Amino acid sequence: MKILILGLDGYIGWSLALHQLSLGNEVCGIDNFSRRKSVEEIGSWSAIPILPIEKRMNILQKEYGDKITFHAGDLVDSNFTNDVIGKFKPDAIIHLAEQPSAPYSMIDQSHTLYTQYNNVMGTLNVIYAMKNYVPKSHLIKLGTMGEYGTPDLEIAEGFMEVEFRGKKATIPYPRFAGSWYHWSKVHDSNNVAFACKLWGLSSTDIMQGIVYGTRTAEITDPNKHTRFDFDEIFGTVINRYCAQAVIGHPLTVYGKGGQTRGFLALEDSIQCMSILIENPPEKGEYRVINQFDQQYQVSELAERVKRIADKKGLDATIQQLENPRVEKEEHYYKADHEQLKKLGFRATRHIDDEIGIMLDDLTSHEDRIRTKKDQMTKQVKWRDGSSTIKQRIVNPLILPTD
Ligand SMILES: NC(=O)c1ccc[n+]([C@@H]2O[C@H](COP(=O)([O-])OP(=O)(O)OC[C@H]3O[C@@H](n4cnc5c(N)ncnc54)[C@H](O)[C@@H]3O)[C@@H](O)[C@H]2O)c1
């Protein structure tokens, strides 16, 4: 199969590329390196060093020859997007190339504009290019479980049946997103669903839980490591706790810590996407998949990381911080996630084992984490905004020339 990975240089994209190549598929990747630049912009870096893209490609080409290709460019540039999709003609397009941080989108107006512009315009360019060049391809678009928010109801998988004034219907499950980033994903979901209806495109919209971990089966040597962020803006909760434990920084729990979310290991995220590539939806179908393994409260996760860190002699502590976010700190949460299981997904990693592996991997890079430890509590205050980070320039719109 020909697999196009949009966002190949990122945390998940790199790991997915390694796996798809190991399966014998032909992989083409694109990236504009905005993740590297944004992490640098806020003053942080990946705890685990990653190679520049040229070296990453050299390593893959030595192993896989011309089965791997890469193009540097921005999806917001419709000429670039058309060119890549029109020439490669993928069977499946895995679209990971978005600004993925909720706190980043909450810094100030310029970061909100950048996030929504980058994510929504990039996705519109992808669906137009699909329609024009590969209408039979399968778009796998990464959304987030955060699109649903935390309603005081069970969360269905994309759609729900309702009865209203005597009539029954199946309608999209309501979205109650909690950041400008999460709303960008909701806008994408609406646009992708409409493109499927309008042009008969086929898409899987993944509502993904929070991904954790440093390893997949293919990450076997330092040159194949994926990035690992631990700062308050790009570090997701389990990853950040592990980095904190390694340097003896308190594990920072926001507010009461009852915030509950779905989580899955990096290896399992890659497995899920690979199953979805193998099992495309029908022509014209807009399919929604809730992709996570287990639900946890963030305070429970801090206890878990502390327990495993303590066993390794790390002596971790937990500190409750005033919550910089605007979110419920205690709430009901129960989300369906049946469809992947029906397609054969079984979680392969236990969270405790993954935390142990992360702590070991991060201990080798303790100095890099310690140097940037102030980034763990930078505190972008969601309600009031933060003024310590400079305004961001938003890309100009590039319209197609032919
Ligand atoms: N990591 C998680 O826990 C998680 C959870 C749920 C959903 N997701 C979603 O999965 C996707 C991948 O997440 P990730 O953690 O690997 O993020 P990431 O930032 O590491 O990867 C995204 C990559 O896309 C690139 N990119 C962004 N905008 C681009 C553009 N306009 N043109 C070209 N390249 C662009 C970035 O440079 C980056 O390398 C994102 O869409 C994210 O929202 C991630």
Side-chain angles (χ1 to χ4, degrees):
M1 277 178 104
K2 293 173 83 173
I3 313 292
L4 177 61
I5 301 180
L6 308 175
L8 177 140
D9 192 48
Y11 174 58
I12 298 172
W14 174 250
S15 318
L16 180 65
L18 294 178
H19 184 62
Q20 285 298 316
L21 286 165
S22 79
L23 296 177
N25 286 326
E26 190 180 339
V27 173
C28 172
I30 72 105
D31 209 291
N32 67 354
F33 314 113
S34 52
R35 172 63 175 255
R36 293 185 190 236
K37 290 174 203 154
S38 303
V39 172
E40 201 182 315
E41 173 202 353
I42 59 148
S44 194
W45 57 16
S46 168
I48 301 179
I50 53 167
L51 295 175
I53 193 70
E54 299 76 18
K55 290 201 173 146
R56 281 185 148 182
M57 283 305 120
N58 284 344
I59 285 164
L60 294 187
Q61 278 155 358
K62 267 189 201 140
E63 206 169 333
Y64 297 104
D66 57 10
K67 285 218 157 185
I68 172 76
T69 47
F70 179 81
H71 304 281
D74 195 323
L75 287 183
V76 165
D77 175 349
S78 48
N79 293 310
F80 170 77
T81 307
N82 284 340
D83 200 43
V84 170
I85 293 182
K87 286 190 179 138
F88 184 62
K89 299 218 172 357
D91 299 302
I93 302 172
I94 325 302
H95 179 13
L96 305 142
E98 299 210 329
Q99 192 299 96
S101 159
Y104 190 84
S105 75
M106 304 300 288
I107 292 171
D108 63 11
Q109 186 175 352
S110 71
H111 289 79
T112 303
L113 286 176
Y114 164 70
T115 301
Q116 293 223 348
Y117 182 90
N118 185 65
N119 297 0
V120 177
M121 298 305 150
T123 299
L124 283 170
N125 281 340
V126 171
I127 54 187
Y128 258 94
M130 261 185 90
K131 171 209 169 226
N132 290 333
Y133 301 103
V134 282
K136 292 188 182 147
S137 181
H138 172 200
L139 173 65
I140 297 182
K141 165 73 183 51
L142 265 289
T144 153
M145 284 298 293
E147 292 185 35
Y148 299 121
T150 52
D152 200 16
L153 277 180
E154 288 195 15
I155 296 174
E157 211 157 355
F159 297 91
M160 69 188 294
E161 284 163 19
V162 291
E163 189 172 343
F164 184 61
R165 295 181 184 165
K167 277 194 66 134
K168 286 187 182 166
T170 300
I171 60 168
Y173 190 88
R175 303 309 206 251
F176 299 102
S179 75
W180 296 118
Y181 153 72
H182 288 103
W183 279 111
S184 77
K185 296 287 196 184
V186 177
H187 303 325
D188 280 343
S189 289
N190 290 331
N191 290 342
V192 171
F194 181 62
C196 292
K197 187 171 162 188
L198 184 66
W199 298 321
L201 303 182
S202 306
S203 176
T204 303
D205 199 0
I206 300 180
M207 302 297 116
Q208 178 163 250
I210 302 166
V211 181
Y212 57 87
T214 46
R215 294 274 172 168
T216 62
E218 292 79 27
I219 299 179
T220 45
D221 74 68
N223 287 337
K224 288 192 175 163
H225 268 294
T226 194
R227 61 175 309 115
F228 186 98
D229 295 286
F230 56 92
D231 62 88
E232 183 236 327
I233 293 177
F234 286 98
T236 50
V237 59
I238 305 181
N239 291 3
R240 194 174 69 242
Y241 286 161
C242 287
Q244 289 172 329
V246 160
I247 61 160
H249 188 289
L251 314 191
T252 48
V253 174
Y254 296 160
K256 292 181 186 150
Q259 300 90 323
T260 306
R261 303 286 185 269
F263 291 84
L264 79 169
L266 180 60
E267 171 74 40
D268 288 330
S269 167
I270 301 307
Q271 193 206 142
C272 288
M273 285 183 280
S274 302
I275 290 173
L276 295 169
I277 291 171
E278 291 296 327
N279 295 277
E282 300 294 319
K283 181 176 162 20
E285 185 182 345
Y286 168 72
R287 170 173 75 174
V288 179
I289 298 277
N290 292 352
Q291 178 169 301
F292 67 94
D293 173 23
Q294 302 286 333
Q295 299 181 180
Y296 300 100
Q297 289 189 344
V298 297
S299 56
E300 177 194 350
L301 288 169
E303 295 293 344
R304 202 176 268 270
V305 172
K306 175 178 162 42
R307 179 170 44 77
I308 299 165
D310 286 351
K311 272 196 205 147
K312 290 182 181 285
L314 286 168
D315 194 20
T317 57
I318 296 175
Q319 184 186 12
Q320 277 191 324
L321 291 185
E322 189 188 330
N323 194 345
R325 305 182 174 208
V326 178
E327 63 183 1
K328 290 181 201 158
E329 294 174 7
E330 285 169 321
H331 57 90
Y332 178 76
Y333 197 80
K334 188 164 184 291
D336 291 350
H337 53 133
E338 300 311 311
Q339 293 195 69
L340 270 161
K341 289 183 205 155
K342 284 187 195 147
L343 293 172
F345 168 64
R346 300 286 173 273
T348 58
R349 301 294 171 113
H350 190 278
I351 186 168
D352 290 356
D353 299 334
E354 285 303 286
I355 290 172
I357 294 168
M358 272 194 269
L359 292 171
D360 292 343
D361 278 340
L362 293 172
T363 299
S364 319
H365 302 288
E366 195 188 322
D367 285 352
R368 285 178 69 87
I369 302 170
R370 205 178 290 286
T371 308
K372 301 284 184 184
K373 75 173 182 348
D374 293 349
Q375 301 300 326
M376 290 169 166
T377 48
K378 198 155 192 164
Q379 296 267 314
V380 174
K381 301 243 189 307
W382 286 27
R383 206 180 292 278
D384 312 327
S386 148
S387 56
T388 53
I389 298 168
K390 281 197 208 128
Q391 283 205 351
R392 169 151 196 161
I393 312 280
V394 180
N395 296 355
L397 184 65
I398 304 174
L399 291 169
T401 47
D402 43 48

